[in-house]
């Protein structure tokens, strides 16, 4: 409960910081990363705990799905956005970060209240419906930012020392990521649709029973 509450609070603060920056600058271009990039980087890195929770069975999500989501986002915000200034002012980065914030402002309160057995039906519905629009928006933003980062990665030979032990460069690695990313994302997206059918059915039955009581 404490972990989910802290995450929900931090993502809410991040969104408010971005909105404040946009209103102050009167533009979506630039400002989002400088306003909330550091906090988002920290809380996204801290979400590795969810991979651990799944691995040891504290939550029923398993290990693989949380790992895929965590590694994709963490690589994006730390290895790409955090290191390439030229993409930090992109309006698509602002859109992506807002999508992340809204998604997590729904997901973590849902988890927190579920821990207490007091999650309202409307929040469960929002959790398993909002992703239909929010997740594709985030995907498009992430792909466009990674594509925009490619020439800068190549020009600077980014992470050359680390990749010197591999038969490929980080630029080539990022190209491969761009190619497989939509397919890995689609696997998670379709899995959420399966969860939606199951979770909303159970929640609706439970909600109906409570109303009759």
């Amino acid at each position: 409960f404490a972990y989910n509450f802290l995450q929900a609070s931090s993502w809410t603060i991040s969104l408010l910081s971005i909105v404040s920056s946009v209103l102050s600058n009167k533009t979506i271009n630039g400002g989002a990363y400088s306003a909330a990039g550091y906090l988002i980087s920290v809380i996204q890195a801290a979400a590795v705990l969810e991979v651990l929770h799944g691995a040891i069975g504290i939550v029923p999500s398993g290990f693989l799905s949380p790992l895929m989501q965590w590694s994709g986002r963490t690589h994006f915000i730390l290895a790409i956005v955090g290191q390439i200034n030229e993409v930090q002012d992109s309006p698509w980065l602002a859109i992506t970060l807002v999508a992340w914030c809204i998604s997590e402002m729904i997901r973590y309160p849902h988890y927190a209240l579920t821990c207490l057995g007091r999650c309202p039906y409307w929040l469960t519905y929002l959790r398993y419906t909002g992703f239909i629009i929010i997740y594709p928006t985030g995907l498009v933003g992430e792909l466009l930012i990674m594509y925009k980062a490619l020439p800068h990665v190549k020009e600077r030979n980014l992470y050359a020392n680390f990749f010197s032990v591999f038969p490929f460069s980080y630029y080539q690695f990022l190209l491969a990521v761009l190619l497989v990313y939509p397919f890995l994302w689609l696997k998670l997206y379709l899995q959420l649709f399966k969860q939606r059918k199951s979770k909303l059915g159970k929640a609706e039955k439970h909600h109906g029973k409570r109303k009759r009581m």
Side-chain angles (χ1 to χ4, degrees), residues 135-150:
Y135 277 28
T137 303
L139 171 71
V140 172
E142 290 173 45
L143 290 175
L144 289 173
I145 292 297
M146 286 191 281
Y147 180 77
K148 185 177 180 180
L150 281 173

Side-chain angles (χ1 to χ4, degrees), residues 83-94:
Q83 301 300 318
I84 302 174
N85 295 334
E86 288 83 355
V87 303
Q88 293 177 5
D89 290 334
S90 170
W92 273 106
L93 179 62

Side-chain angles (χ1 to χ4, degrees), residues 24-203:
S24 291
N25 298 324
K26 297 181 180 179
T27 177
I28 197 173
N29 294 331
Y33 184 79
S34 59
Y38 178 76
L39 178 57
I40 289 175
S41 298
V42 171
I43 56 181
Q44 176 54 46
V48 70
L49 290 174
E50 293 170 40
V51 181
L52 179 62
H53 295 163
I56 63 180
I58 294 178
V59 294
S61 59
F63 172 78
L64 185 58
S65 292
L67 177 62
M68 288 171 61
Q69 185 171 15
W70 176 81
S71 59
R73 277 191 175 187
T74 305
H75 167 253
F76 174 82
I77 196 68
L78 294 182
I80 299 174
V81 177
Q83 301 300 318
I84 302 174
N85 295 334
E86 288 83 355
V87 303
Q88 293 177 5
D89 290 334
S90 170
W92 273 106
L93 179 62
I95 291 170
T96 301
L97 296 183
V98 167
W100 284 14
C101 289
I102 295 173
S103 171
E104 305 302 38
M105 285 168 59
I106 297 170
R107 187 167 71 100
Y108 284 114
H110 175 264
Y111 288 163
L113 292 174
T114 298
C115 288
L116 301 178
R118 296 181 175 274
C119 187
Y121 175 75
W122 65 264
L123 184 56
T124 300
Y125 183 84
L126 196 58
R127 162 74 178 102
Y128 291 102
T129 303
F131 79 90
I132 296 173
I133 296 175
I134 297 170
Y135 277 28
T137 303
L139 171 71
V140 172
E142 290 173 45
L143 290 175
L144 289 173
I145 292 297
M146 286 191 281
Y147 180 77
K148 185 177 180 180
L150 281 173
H152 304 290
V153 169
K154 188 174 185 179
E155 179 185 354
R156 300 171 194 173
N157 197 15
L158 206 61
Y159 307 120
N161 290 337
F162 178 82
F163 278 84
S164 62
V165 298
F166 300 105
F168 52 85
S169 65
Y170 179 66
Y171 174 79
Q172 294 169 323
F173 169 78
L174 190 55
L175 275 175
V177 168
L178 275 169
L179 290 174
V180 303
Y181 204 75
F183 299 100
L184 296 175
W185 173 88
L186 184 61
K187 175 180 173 62
L188 296 174
Y189 192 57
L190 294 177
Q191 184 177 337
L192 275 173
F193 273 101
K194 291 180 182 179
Q195 289 181 1
R196 182 178 190 272
K197 184 177 180 180
S198 171
K199 299 288 186 179
L200 290 186
K202 292 178 181 177

